[in-house]
């Protein structure tokens, strides 16, 4: 029987592994204890800060034996900010952690052990992120922009984040000045207060131009819009688009509701894999272009589309994978539920003179059902779902289409592993895969897996 642990107790323990978020794990009196900011192989004096029925959290009080992989974080807000989680470890250790996280998760949850190639690393001389979403709130009556403290709803103010393009920091500062000058409140659901919720800044890696989108639960007056536009154009001369997302939903959904261009262009253009894309604020587009090109190169390599094949690309976003596939396949059909993204994909197909790709605005499960009814039988299906993975009905519908191959692009190893098990039940075997470090210094990792229809 495990001895009872009590908050504020102090122990000495060795860190033996990591959680999926990169926190160190040790064992105290038979229970796993999670200690953020510690590294595997280190010995720490820890203090228990939360003892629950399912999890125990501790704070590292004193490092008694440090790992050779420990590094000094470049950001002074590292310990409190939720933007990055792995600045305290070497990049080699980060890559090892991510590769092992994927391998262990696929085996433990998915019961699958495809051949996994070596993780594709990032070039850390480049900015770590290109699309930035700052949370907007208030502290001591003043507006703040930043990231949520881990496991909380508290915003940590960030004024000069080293992980984002300079344009994003300048835009955030301009929005704070605008809110102060016009006494515009931040959204506060607990107080029933309407106001500014989030700030999205997207920077084109190819041109350096930027798009700014403000998410608000309240309408902006003409005077407020003019003042905001003036401040942003002065602070961000590279800005070519300013949009408003009128988001009146409850909860933490960032971009939902009505989108409206306040100034400039409706879209931002960027280049990826030699193709030009037009992007709306709500369109999904991988935010680290150099790594995205590695990701798509990997996906195409595993998919191996042929000139006489029909390919179905589910959750296609702005059509990036679809248009890359179209250069090798016979026909590509992209499906996306966000109408603006579908329009972006169609426009990008025209601008890139791609004639063998079409795009449908539909829910993935409903679209696959329609294809089944029409008797469409693609040889290859690509899926790139959001973090929650695939609805179970999508997998059964894909199996009914009976493609020879399925390529799964995932941003969450847990839901990927769950879905690989469901695919196995539907007759598809995970054959080969690879991880890509899309978001350095964070715990997130992208994985691509090739599934093949098992012989009966």
């Amino acid at each position: 029987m495990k001895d009872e642990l009590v908050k504020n107790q102090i122990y000495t323990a060795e860190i033996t592994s990591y959680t999926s978020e990169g926190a160190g794990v040790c064992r105290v009196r038979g229970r796993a204890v999670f200690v953020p900011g510690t590294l595997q192989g280190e010995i720490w004096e820890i203090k228990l800060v939360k003892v629950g029925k399912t999890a125990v959290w501790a704070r590292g009080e004193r490092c008694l034996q440090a790992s050779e992989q420990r590094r000094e974080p470049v950001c002074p807000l590292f310990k409190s900010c939720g933007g990055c989680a792995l600045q305290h470890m070497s990049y080699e250790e980060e890559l090892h952690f991510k590769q092992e996280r994927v391998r262990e998760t696929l085996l433990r949850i998915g019961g699958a052990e495809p051949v996994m190639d070596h993780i594709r690393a990032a070039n850390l001389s480049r900015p770590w992120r290109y699309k930035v979403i700052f949370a907007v709130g208030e502290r001591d009556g003043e507006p703040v922009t930043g990231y949520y403290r881990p496991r909380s709803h508290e915003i940590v103010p960030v004024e000069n984040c080293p992980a984002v393009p300079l344009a994003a920091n300048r835009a955030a500062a301009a929005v704070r000045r605008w809110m102060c000058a016009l006494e515009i409140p931040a959204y506060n659901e607990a107080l029933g207060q309407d106001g500014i919720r989030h700030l999205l800044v997207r920077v084109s890696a190819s041109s350096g131009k930027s798009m700014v989108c403000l998410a608000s639960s309240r309408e902006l007056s003409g005077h407020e819009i003019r003042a905001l536009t003036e401040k942003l154009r002065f602070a961000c001369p590279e800005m070519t688009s300013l949009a408003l997302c009128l988001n009146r939903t409850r909860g933490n959904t960032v971009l939902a509701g009505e989108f409206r261009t306040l100034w400039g262009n409706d879209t931002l253009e960027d280049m990826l894999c030699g193709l030009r894309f037009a992007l709306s604020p709500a369109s999904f587009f991988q935010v680290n272009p150099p790594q995205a090109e590695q990701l798509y190169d990997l996906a195409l390599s595993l998919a191996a589309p042929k000139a006489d094949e029909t390919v179905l690309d589910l959750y296609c976003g702005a059509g990036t994978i679809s248009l890359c596939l179209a250069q090798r396949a016979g026909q590509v059909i992209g499906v996306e539920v966000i109408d603006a993204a579908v329009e972006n994909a169609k426009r990008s197909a025209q601008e890139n003179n791609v004639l063998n790709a079409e795009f449908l605005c539909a829910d993935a499960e409903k679209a696959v059902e329609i294809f089944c009814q029409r008797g469409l039988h693609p040889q290859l299906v690509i899926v790139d779902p959001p973090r929650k993975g695939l609805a179970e009905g999508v997998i059964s519908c894909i199996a009914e289409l009976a493609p020879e191959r399925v390529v799964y692009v995932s941003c969450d190893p847990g839901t990927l592993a769950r879905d690989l098990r469901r695919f196995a039940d539907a007759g598809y075997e995970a054959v080969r895969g690879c991880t890509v470090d899309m978001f350095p210094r964070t715990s997130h990792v992208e994985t691509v897996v090739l599934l093949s229809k098992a012989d009966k």
Side-chain angles (χ1 to χ4, degrees):
M1 182 177 178
K2 300 183 181 67
D3 293 334
E4 183 178 358
L5 299 181
V6 179
K7 182 179 178 180
N8 294 327
Q9 288 178 325
I10 295 178
Y11 296 93
T12 298
E14 179 181 0
I15 308 302
T16 57
S17 60
Y18 295 112
T19 68
S20 59
E21 289 78 28
V25 181
C26 62
R27 300 199 73 85
V28 176
R29 295 186 177 180
R31 292 196 66 178
V33 179
F34 309 140
V35 193
T38 62
L39 299 182
Q40 187 172 352
E42 292 185 332
I43 298 176
W44 277 81
E45 184 178 89
I46 63 171
K47 183 176 183 178
L48 305 187
V49 295
K50 183 178 180 181
V51 180
K53 293 182 179 179
T54 59
V56 180
W57 291 87
R59 180 176 63 243
E61 295 286 285
R62 188 160 59 105
C63 184
L64 304 178
Q65 181 178 311
S67 166
E68 293 181 354
Q69 303 302 322
R70 177 165 289 279
R71 298 292 184 270
E72 187 66 26
V74 299
C75 179
L77 298 177
F78 166 69
K79 289 185 178 181
S80 59
C81 174
C84 303
L86 307 180
Q87 287 190 35
H88 62 301
M89 62 175 65
S90 70
Y91 191 46
E92 292 74 20
E93 180 73 0
E94 177 180 340
L95 294 176
H96 173 73
F97 153 66
K98 290 177 176 179
Q99 182 88 333
E100 282 300 298
R101 176 190 172 195
V102 171
R103 185 196 65 80
E104 188 273 335
T105 304
L106 294 187
L107 190 59
R108 175 174 53 86
I109 299 177
E113 196 168 10
V115 175
M116 295 297 292
D117 296 335
H118 188 69
I119 186 170
R120 298 201 179 188
N123 181 350
L124 294 191
S125 66
R126 300 186 178 100
W128 303 341
R129 288 191 292 276
Y130 291 86
K131 183 183 76 171
V132 183
I133 298 180
F134 288 117
V136 180
E138 293 179 0
R139 173 173 290 187
D140 299 326
E142 298 291 326
V144 296
T145 55
Y147 302 108
Y148 289 106
R149 190 183 301 275
R151 298 176 300 281
S152 81
H153 295 289
E154 178 188 353
I155 297 175
V156 176
V158 178
E159 295 188 359
N160 291 292
C161 179
V164 305
L166 295 176
N169 289 320
R170 295 199 306 270
V175 168
R176 294 194 302 270
R177 290 194 295 270
W178 168 73
M179 293 175 67
C180 276
L182 275 68
E183 297 184 346
I184 295 174
Y187 174 76
N188 189 316
E189 184 174 313
L191 298 178
Q193 176 175 286
D194 281 328
I196 309 304
R197 304 177 64 144
H198 291 90
L199 171 67
L200 177 148
V201 183
R202 195 196 294 268
V203 179
S204 169
S206 61
S207 68
K209 295 178 180 178
S210 66
M211 166 186 282
V212 176
C213 179
L214 199 66
S216 172
S217 65
R218 64 185 279 271
E219 284 278 9
L220 301 183
S221 70
H223 172 64
E224 290 170 339
I225 292 172
R226 287 190 294 273
L228 174 63
T229 303
E230 181 181 345
K231 288 189 179 296
L232 281 170
R233 291 186 67 186
F234 179 80
C236 306
E238 69 283 344
M239 184 182 75
T240 58
S241 175
L242 172 60
L244 174 70
C245 171
L246 191 57
N247 180 2
R248 290 193 170 105
T249 63
R250 295 179 65 83
N252 295 324
T253 303
V254 177
L255 300 176
E258 174 193 350
F259 287 86
R260 188 165 70 251
T261 300
L262 302 180
W263 175 87
N265 302 326
D266 294 331
T267 59
L268 177 73
E269 288 196 347
D270 208 344
M271 294 285 295
L272 195 65
C273 301
L275 299 168
R276 187 174 298 278
F277 294 91
L279 308 171
S280 298
S283 297
F284 175 77
F285 189 77
Q286 292 288 359
V287 299
N288 188 337
Q291 287 304 92
E293 291 190 346
Q294 288 210 57
L295 180 72
Y296 294 151
D297 176 71
L298 173 62
L300 264 65
S301 176
L302 291 175
K306 301 178 180 64
D308 61 346
E309 289 185 328
T310 297
V311 182
L312 179 60
D313 180 15
L314 300 178
Y315 309 91
C316 71
T320 45
I321 294 182
S322 297
L323 298 186
C324 291
L325 286 164
Q327 298 178 82
R328 305 185 190 184
Q331 180 187 19
V332 179
I333 303 171
V335 176
E336 171 60 50
V337 73
I338 298 175
D339 182 67
V342 173
E343 292 305 311
N344 291 166
K346 290 179 179 179
R347 173 177 164 182
S348 296
Q350 291 178 340
E351 292 187 353
N352 289 285
N353 198 31
V354 176
L355 304 178
N356 59 331
E358 62 177 295
F359 297 94
L360 304 177
C361 184
D363 172 81
E365 185 172 358
K366 189 66 178 177
V368 176
E369 288 178 0
I370 293 172
F371 296 145
C372 287
Q373 293 168 4
R374 293 179 180 176
L376 178 69
H377 295 290
Q379 290 79 23
L380 171 65
V381 173
I382 308 283
V383 295
D384 186 5
R387 194 168 303 280
K388 64 182 180 181
L390 300 174
E392 194 165 1
V394 173
I395 295 175
S396 60
C397 287
I398 290 174
E400 190 173 341
L401 289 176
E404 298 169 4
R405 310 178 307 285
V406 176
V407 172
Y408 196 132
V409 182
S410 168
C411 59
D412 186 272
T415 55
L416 170 64
R418 178 204 67 199
D419 290 346
L420 291 185
R421 182 176 288 278
R422 291 173 176 174
F423 268 115
D425 294 339
Y428 284 84
E429 176 187 6
V431 178
R432 193 175 191 90
C434 186
T435 50
V436 178
D437 187 22
M438 186 69 69
F439 308 106
R441 318 318 289 168
T442 78
S443 60
H444 301 298
V445 62
E446 296 273 332
T447 308
V448 184
V449 174
L450 168 66
L451 299 100
S452 178
K453 188 171 175 56
D455 295 330
K456 295 292 184 183

